[in-house]
Amino acid sequence: MAETPDPVRTQGLVKRYGDLVAVDGVDLRARAGTCLGVLGPNGAGKTTTIEILEGLTRPDGGTAEIFGQNWADGGRKLRQRIGVQLQETNLPPKLKVLEILQIFASFYEAPRPTHEVLELVGLQEKSKARTSELSGGQHQRLALGCAVIGDPDLLFLDEPTTGLDPQARRRVWEIVEQFKESGRTVLLTTHYMDEAERLADDLVILDHGKIISEGTPQEIIRTLGAENVISVEVEGDFDLASLGALEGVVESRVDAGRAELQVTRTDEVLPRVVTAVRDAGARVEDLHVHRPTLEDVFVSLTGRHIRDA
């Protein structure tokens, strides 16, 4: 029996723009019934990679396959099997919400009923509103509705919850989880680390066109080799960078007047931090401890918080 191809697979993917190598040998795999999260700062190559997978951009090297086919050979059939929510979607301002969904439904052979999609994205009461009358969050939910109305097997979501209130954001999370439970696949980019940690079964972190870390969210977090992260702010004349030399500190970073210390044996390191500050004649202004997160990994790998990238 022939093996069922993965919904998404790339090997040695390359894309150049003049002298700039935007995507540099990227290997991706998204398994059926899972969510693959792609993280990276601006300019890391994630948008270009996604555009290649969506059939919007041609690669200069390597291969990109959707359900075992490339876009040159299976483009028309593949269009019927994917749904795409772009980071920014410009919809005709004078058309009504229901009309937009009906137009998108007409592109597919077996679309979902429009009333079902309206309920799914919470826009029933806005069905007769023009798109120009929608808030930013409602516009984002309509874009999601356009992406799922074709009942796709593979869903591309580029920053799907940007601009949404917490309740709407969690509704999107539920849609993604239901989508996975039905055996279908999601490829997600996001700037929200809690979102990536909750939704993604597998993650890749891109920087400068290359994959710099990959695995499950927990596997990636464990690469820090830290038990906890101590965040400390000091009042007075004190060299925060000196805390990085304390025993038990795996890695340290100073940013905006605050030291972030990745540590082992937290119970031993905490007193050392306080003592070092006091001995220098300064005072601990603020201190807290948290378990390592994806944000900590991202900062460690790229030197930036993803919200600032």
Side-chain angles (χ1 to χ4, degrees):
M1 182 180 295
E3 185 178 347
T4 303
D6 291 317
V8 173
R9 183 180 285 273
T10 73
Q11 289 185 304
L13 197 64
V14 175
K15 182 63 182 180
R16 300 182 182 89
Y17 295 100
D19 295 333
L20 173 65
V21 183
V23 180
D24 191 1
V26 168
D27 296 341
L28 293 180
R29 180 195 178 205
R31 299 170 290 120
T34 68
C35 174
L36 173 63
V38 180
L39 303 177
N42 292 332
K46 62 184 186 298
T47 297
T48 303
T49 300
I50 303 306
E51 288 178 347
I52 291 171
L53 290 169
E54 293 168 345
L56 301 176
T57 301
R58 291 185 178 182
D60 294 316
T63 60
E65 294 184 344
I66 304 296
F67 301 109
Q69 291 186 297
N70 60 47
W71 283 101
D73 296 333
R76 181 168 294 184
K77 289 183 178 180
L78 291 179
R79 292 281 175 215
Q80 293 294 316
R81 301 189 66 182
I82 71 168
V84 176
Q85 180 184 2
L86 301 174
Q87 194 168 348
E88 293 185 12
T89 304
N90 294 317
L91 299 170
K94 294 186 178 181
L95 290 183
K96 298 176 181 178
V97 168
L98 180 59
E99 293 171 336
I100 291 288
L101 289 176
Q102 289 172 334
I103 290 172
F104 272 79
S106 70
F107 300 152
Y108 297 93
E109 296 172 0
R112 299 175 70 165
T114 52
H115 68 85
E116 180 182 297
V117 174
L118 281 169
E119 182 177 358
L120 185 70
V121 297
L123 289 176
Q124 309 98 306
E125 296 180 0
K126 292 291 182 178
S127 65
K128 296 182 180 180
R130 300 185 189 278
T131 60
S132 60
E133 300 168 353
L134 300 180
S135 67
Q138 290 166 344
H139 195 280
Q140 192 81 339
R141 281 186 279 154
L142 176 56
L144 177 60
C146 294
V148 301
I149 199 163
D151 201 21
D153 297 313
L154 171 61
L155 186 59
F156 291 94
L157 299 177
D158 193 1
E159 308 288 348
T161 61
T162 299
L164 298 186
D165 60 59
Q167 183 177 359
R169 189 168 167 236
R170 290 189 176 276
R171 181 58 185 144
V172 172
W173 291 2
E174 292 171 2
I175 292 171
V176 171
E177 288 167 342
Q178 291 168 8
F179 198 83
K180 290 196 300 178
E181 288 171 2
S182 66
R184 290 174 285 184
T185 305
V186 179
L187 200 153
L188 168 78
T189 72
T190 179
H191 275 176
Y192 298 114
M193 291 302 186
D194 59 336
E195 185 165 277
E197 194 164 344
R198 169 164 171 167
L199 297 179
D201 300 280
D202 301 293
L203 277 173
V204 297
I205 300 178
L206 291 174
D207 200 17
H208 301 296
K210 294 178 179 289
I211 293 177
I212 58 174
S213 186
E214 60 184 317
T216 67
Q218 289 306 312
E219 286 171 347
I220 291 176
I221 289 171
R222 284 196 294 270
T223 63
L224 279 178
E227 175 186 277
N228 281 303
V229 176
I230 298 175
S231 178
V232 58
E233 187 174 344
V234 172
E235 182 179 297
D237 186 16
F238 183 79
D239 180 13
L240 286 170
S242 67
L243 295 176
L246 293 177
E247 184 181 351
V249 176
V250 177
E251 187 174 328
S252 65
R253 172 181 167 82
V254 177
D255 184 34
R258 178 177 290 272
E260 300 279 341
L261 311 174
Q262 299 170 21
V263 305
T264 58
R265 300 303 301 267
T266 310
D267 57 332
E268 296 178 2
V269 178
L270 273 172
R272 292 176 187 143
V273 170
V274 175
T275 299
V277 173
R278 284 179 178 172
D279 287 351
R283 185 174 72 87
V284 174
E285 177 71 15
D286 181 65
L287 184 148
H288 63 266
V289 180
H290 66 265
R291 291 287 186 184
T293 64
L294 284 174
E295 180 77 14
D296 295 317
V297 178
F298 189 89
V299 171
S300 178
L301 291 172
T302 68
R304 288 165 284 181
H305 290 276
I306 195 166
R307 60 182 177 271
D308 302 325

